Amino acid sequence: SQQGEEDPQALSIQEGENATMNCSYKTSINNLQWYRQNSGRGLVHLILIRSNEREKHSGRLRVTLDTSKKSSSLLITASRAADTASYFCATDERGGFKTIFGAGTRLFVKA
Amino acid sequence: GAGVSQTPSNKVTEKGKYVELRCDPISGHTALYWYRQSLGQGPEFLIYFQGTGAADDSGLPNDRFFAVRPEGSVSTLKIQRTERGDSAVYLCASSRAAGNTEAFFGQGTRLTVV
């Protein structure tokens, strides 16, 4: 079963707006990652945040992690039509090495 | 290679047949992962290799599924007696080491069982 659960399942916004996606998980983790998947099949790694980190930035991306609530958020600022994709959070369980993905948030950015 | 390569990109097979899906990881990556993704779902973990050995195969759905990585590089996912429910995109990923590192994904093999 998948550990991460993303919210919302789908999100439609206008270009220029910010998009926020949330992820919750169930067990203790080593780190949490966010991936992007276009309508093609490959997943692209966006950002990794370790369990002892609370916030991380990469370009227009901002990720937060709250281990007490077992949740993370991904913020995409000043969205572009090219940001249209599915976004997945993935967790590496503490004591293990397999990466578990959630069901994803489908983001649609209207030009 | 420049990236993770998966072959074939598409495979159509008849129910009951045997299929092999191949993954060429990035050179030097010791960790290799197989995932399965159904439409509208996230990737589902199948198996993880560290070097030549399967460090975690807890995601393999049943004994019809098997994977090998004999020389610690190329991996083959083998599915016996395929069923229609096996239809999905099978994704392979590799990383420099296990855990705490970015995984690089291939484009996947779309398996259709008719």
Side-chain angles (χ1 to χ4, degrees), chain A residues 2 31 37 41 98-99 106, chain B residues 9 35 37 40 58 100 107:
Chain A
Q2 293 172 336
N31 63 63
Q37 185 177 41
R41 291 172 287 186
K98 63 186 181 186
T99 301
R106 281 136 198 89
Chain B
S9 56
Y35 289 85
Q37 186 176 26
S58 61
N100 283 331
Q107 291 299 304

Side-chain angles (χ1 to χ4, degrees), chain A residues 6 18 46 57 91 93 110:
Chain A
E6 283 90 339
N18 295 342
L46 296 176
H57 297 254
T91 53
E93 294 179 348
K110 293 176 280 187

Side-chain angles (χ1 to χ4, degrees), chain A residues 51-76:
Chain A
S51 60
N52 61 353
E53 296 176 312
R54 292 296 167 258
E55 187 171 311
K56 205 161 183 179
H57 297 254
S58 176
R60 293 184 296 113
L61 306 180
R62 172 178 169 254
V63 169
T64 63
L65 178 64
D66 187 336
T67 53
S68 67
K69 295 182 179 178
K70 292 186 167 57
S71 67
S72 172
S73 67
L74 170 67
L75 168 68
I76 304 175

Side-chain angles (χ1 to χ4, degrees), chain A residues 3 13 23 28-29 36 39 63 67 70 73 79 81 84 90 101-102:
Chain A
Q3 162 149 257
I13 60 174
C23 167
S28 295
I29 60 172
R36 165 195 167 123
S39 56
V63 169
T67 53
K70 292 186 167 57
S73 67
S79 63
T84 295
F101 285 79

Side-chain angles (χ1 to χ4, degrees), chain B residues 18-19 21 34 47 49 54 57 60-69 75-80:
Chain B
Y18 167 83
V19 295
L21 311 179
W34 282 99
I47 187 170
F49 287 90
D57 64 357
L60 294 177
N62 51 60
D63 61 6
R64 295 186 297 106
F65 288 75
F66 189 70
V68 295
R69 194 186 185 197
S75 177
T76 304
L77 178 66
K78 308 180 181 191
I79 310 174
Q80 298 178 320

Side-chain angles (χ1 to χ4, degrees), chain A residues 28-49:
Chain A
S28 295
I29 60 172
N30 289 323
N31 63 63
L32 185 144
Q33 304 180 58
W34 284 91
Y35 285 82
R36 165 195 167 123
Q37 185 177 41
N38 288 353
S39 56
R41 291 172 287 186
L43 283 95
V44 175
H45 182 268
L46 296 176
I47 197 164
L48 179 152
I49 186 165

Side-chain angles (χ1 to χ4, degrees), chain B residues 3-97:
Chain B
V4 177
S5 175
Q6 291 188 246
T7 55
S9 56
N10 287 283
K11 176 70 177 179
V12 180
T13 190
E14 292 181 346
K15 179 176 177 292
K17 297 290 188 183
Y18 167 83
V19 295
E20 288 189 353
L21 311 179
R22 177 187 168 104
C23 173
D24 278 274
I26 293 173
S27 179
H29 281 192
T30 59
L32 185 146
Y33 307 82
W34 282 99
Y35 289 85
R36 177 171 71 174
Q37 186 176 26
S38 300
L39 191 63
Q41 300 296 314
E44 173 192 5
F45 171 82
L46 296 178
I47 187 170
Y48 151 66
F49 287 90
Q50 179 60 38
T52 61
D56 188 338
D57 64 357
S58 61
L60 294 177
N62 51 60
D63 61 6
R64 295 186 297 106
F65 288 75
F66 189 70
V68 295
R69 194 186 185 197
E71 298 177 357
S73 178
V74 171
S75 177
T76 304
L77 178 66
K78 308 180 181 191
I79 310 174
Q80 298 178 320
R81 305 183 303 280
T82 52
E83 300 177 355
R84 292 196 178 87
D86 299 335
S87 297
V89 175
Y90 288 81
L91 297 164
C92 176
S94 70
S95 64
R96 283 184 291 108

